[in-house]
């Protein structure tokens, strides 16, 4: 076991899917054992690793089933029978849940199932880490701050059960602390020139509340008795389209009429395609070569709508000759703000799907002075750059 005052190789703050990703990559490269022998500690607030909050959303994924299990199945295909690999993780390849997600192929899967699968991966990773005395998993622990020191970083950690605190010294640190929809940001949000909270007080929900467990049932209770329910979703993100899809397809007791659901968006609604030819074949040309991934050739590889959300947006826009979805209308903000105000005022419910902000713990320099992070300087500023490096306020 690592000792107090000893420098670890790596501290990972957050044991959800993002926190496990570096370790899964090391496993795939055959380097996990050596990494764990050098000292790795995962700090996780909950009682288990792996799933994070993903299993708490009552919708389907916007990633394919194959994407979730790819890290295990490719490990098996590339190593078993070649080096005879048999690890806690590769053994999951034959688990019924793994096979069910793999069988979904490029199709969507329930986030509930994805969360259960990632929980299995977390359990396997915890057993793997337990076999390496230099490493450890600290569940029900909260990292309160991180400070730059001569040899790397000092991470302050609190035991949530006892309140006891300790300091972890590490050469490297990974922040995998997730994201949230802060109420404070919503309070400052304006749509069509009006403050959203002031304009829609009492009728306003955030998309995370709608998509989490019990959220759709709450929406149904608010709308089921209305003969012509009107809902406005503000946002052009995947979560906005996911809310729209869920309201239209998972609430049979709510009967939306023509134009009963409005998706109000600022930016173009970008659509993912596996390659240029597929996009052009359906008449979709709203992209440039800058939007094509240079590695995979995919159009809007990360920025485009996928799966359920993609199909709904394509219906709403009539892309590829798809029949329209009459219950859904699109309203581009900035083109008719007076119309947007009217839609907001007439809505029985307004759902803000304005994205998520990264969580981060306080970071200090070697003198103990707080370091302002770029994500703290503005509501749209990122926490990291394209290489996942945490950025200070100067970028």
């Amino acid at each position: 076991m690592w000792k107090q005052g000893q420098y670890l190789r790596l501290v990972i703050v957050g044991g959800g899917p993002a926190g496990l990703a570096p370790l899964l990559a090391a496993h795939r490269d055959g380097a996990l054992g050596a990494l764990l022998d050098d000292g790795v500690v995962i700090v996780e607030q909950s009682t288990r690793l792996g799933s994070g909050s993903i299993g708490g959303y009552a919708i389907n994924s916007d990633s394919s089933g194959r994407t979730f299990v790819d890290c295990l199945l490719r490990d098996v295909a590339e190593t078993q029978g070649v080096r005879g690999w048999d690890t806690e993780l590769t053994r999951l390849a034959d688990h019924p849940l793994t096979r069910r997600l793999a069988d979904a192929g490029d199709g969507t899967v329930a986030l509930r199932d994805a969360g259960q699968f990632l929980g299995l991966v977390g359990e396997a990773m915890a057993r793997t880490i337990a076999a390496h005395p230099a490493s450890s998993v600290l569940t029900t622990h909260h990292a309160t701050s991180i400070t730059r020191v001569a040899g790397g970083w000092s991470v302050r950690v609190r035991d949530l059960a006892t309140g006891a605190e300790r300091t972890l010294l590490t050469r490297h640190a990974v922040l995998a602390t997730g994201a949230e929809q802060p109420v404070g940001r919503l309070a400052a949000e304006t749509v069509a020139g009006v403050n959203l909270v002031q304009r829609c007080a009492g009728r306003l929900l955030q998309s995370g509340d709608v998509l989490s467990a019990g959220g759709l049932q709450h929406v149904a209770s608010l709308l089921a008795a209305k003969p012509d329910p009107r809902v406005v979703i503000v946002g052009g993100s995947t979560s906005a389209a996911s809310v729209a899809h869920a309201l239209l397809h998972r609430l049979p007791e709510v009967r939306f009429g023509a134009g009963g659901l409005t998706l109000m968006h600022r930016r173009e609604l970008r659509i993912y395609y596996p390659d240029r030819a597929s996009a052009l074949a359906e008449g979709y040309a709203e992209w440039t070569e800058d939007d094509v991934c240079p590695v995979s050739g995919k159009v809007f590889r990360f920025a485009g709508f996928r799966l359920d959300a993609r199909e709904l947006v394509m219906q709403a826009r009539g892309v590829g000759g798809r029949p329209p979805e009459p219950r859904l209308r699109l309203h581009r903000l900035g083109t008719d703000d007076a119309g947007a105000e009217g839609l907001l005022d007439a809505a029985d419910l307004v759902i803000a799907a304005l994205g998520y902000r990264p969580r981060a713990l306080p970071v200090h320099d070697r003198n103990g002075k707080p370091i302002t992070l770029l994500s703290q300087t503005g509501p749209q500023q990122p926490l990291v750059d394209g290489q996942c490096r945490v950025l200070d306020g100067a970028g």
Side-chain angles (χ1 to χ4, degrees):
M1 176 62 184
W2 54 273
K3 300 177 182 178
Q4 190 77 11
Q6 171 187 348
Y7 270 83
L8 298 152
R9 173 76 175 279
L10 175 65
V11 168
I12 300 174
V13 181
L20 293 189
L23 302 183
L24 290 170
H27 177 262
R28 180 169 168 178
D29 291 342
L32 181 58
L35 179 62
L36 295 178
D37 286 340
D38 215 10
V40 175
V41 169
I42 302 179
V43 182
E44 166 57 33
Q45 291 189 109
S46 72
T47 58
R48 60 190 300 222
L49 300 181
S51 60
S53 61
I54 193 172
Y57 291 101
I59 56 172
N60 291 334
S61 66
D62 65 345
S63 297
S64 68
R66 181 183 292 113
T67 297
F68 285 102
V69 301
D70 186 60
C71 61
L72 299 183
L73 298 185
R74 291 182 69 173
D75 277 345
V76 172
E78 295 171 8
T79 59
Q80 277 194 340
V82 177
R83 287 184 286 171
W85 246 18
D86 180 30
T87 71
E88 293 281 356
L89 288 160
T90 59
R91 288 174 207 144
L92 289 178
D94 293 324
H95 191 281
L97 186 54
T98 306
R99 302 313 316 175
R100 186 158 80 245
L101 267 61
D103 289 344
D106 292 328
T108 187
V109 296
L111 283 181
R112 178 185 61 255
D113 291 343
Q116 290 177 2
F117 169 75
L118 291 169
L120 292 175
V121 173
E123 291 171 1
M125 185 63 75
R127 293 192 296 269
T128 301
I129 293 172
H132 293 262
S135 295
S136 183
V137 175
L138 300 180
T139 52
T140 64
H141 278 68
H142 172 65
T144 58
S145 66
I146 180 169
T147 302
R148 194 79 167 107
V149 293
W153 297 94
S154 168
V155 184
R156 193 69 176 164
V157 176
R158 178 186 300 124
D159 186 327
L160 295 176
T162 67
E165 294 194 354
R166 70 178 82 180
T167 298
L168 309 177
L169 297 175
T170 180
R171 295 197 292 279
H172 304 280
V174 169
L175 304 186
T177 44
E180 61 186 345
Q181 290 182 309
V183 175
R185 181 197 171 190
L186 183 61
E189 193 69 41
T190 60
V191 176
V194 298
N195 182 279
L196 196 58
V197 171
Q198 293 176 0
R199 190 86 177 208
C200 306
R203 299 177 290 127
L204 184 62
L205 295 174
Q206 295 215 70
S207 59
D209 298 326
V210 174
L211 297 178
S212 59
L216 290 174
Q217 289 78 8
H218 177 58
V219 170
S221 70
L222 297 174
L223 299 178
K226 296 185 179 297
D228 185 24
R230 299 280 165 173
V231 174
V232 171
I233 301 169
V234 182
S237 64
T238 294
S239 61
S242 295
V243 169
H245 187 275
L247 296 188
L248 293 175
H249 297 282
R250 304 191 65 173
L251 297 181
E253 62 270 54
V254 178
R255 299 185 178 277
F256 288 104
L261 184 62
T262 299
L263 185 62
M264 201 174 283
H265 59 102
R266 292 190 177 101
R267 66 181 187 186
E268 291 286 354
L269 299 177
R270 298 167 176 168
I271 300 170
Y272 160 83
Y273 275 91
D275 51 55
R276 300 172 181 85
S278 299
L280 294 175
E282 292 198 326
Y284 183 70
E286 297 172 12
W287 49 273
T288 69
E289 283 301 309
D290 290 339
D291 302 315
V292 180
C293 173
V295 177
S296 66
K298 296 176 179 179
V299 180
F300 292 127
R301 180 180 180 185
F302 297 114
F305 290 105
R306 291 170 174 263
L307 300 170
D308 289 344
R310 176 180 186 267
E311 190 62 26
L312 182 61
V313 169
M314 293 176 81
Q315 279 186 279
R317 299 195 57 193
V319 175
R322 285 167 173 76
E325 169 50 84
R327 297 173 295 174
L328 176 65
R329 85 170 88 191
L330 303 179
H331 186 95
R332 182 78 180 269
L333 290 168
T335 61
D336 178 11
D337 285 350
E341 289 185 52
L343 289 168
L344 290 171
D345 290 341
D348 299 301
L349 192 63
V350 177
I351 300 171
L354 300 170
Y356 289 76
R357 296 298 299 146
R359 296 191 190 100
L361 59 161
V363 182
H364 303 93
D365 65 18
R366 295 185 185 186
N367 299 316
K369 182 180 178 181
I371 297 175
T372 299
L373 302 180
L374 187 61
S375 63
Q376 298 168 330
T377 64
Q380 302 296 332
Q381 294 286 23
L383 176 65
V384 300
D385 65 8
Q387 296 176 272
C388 293
R389 298 175 297 186
V390 177
L391 301 173
D392 68 11

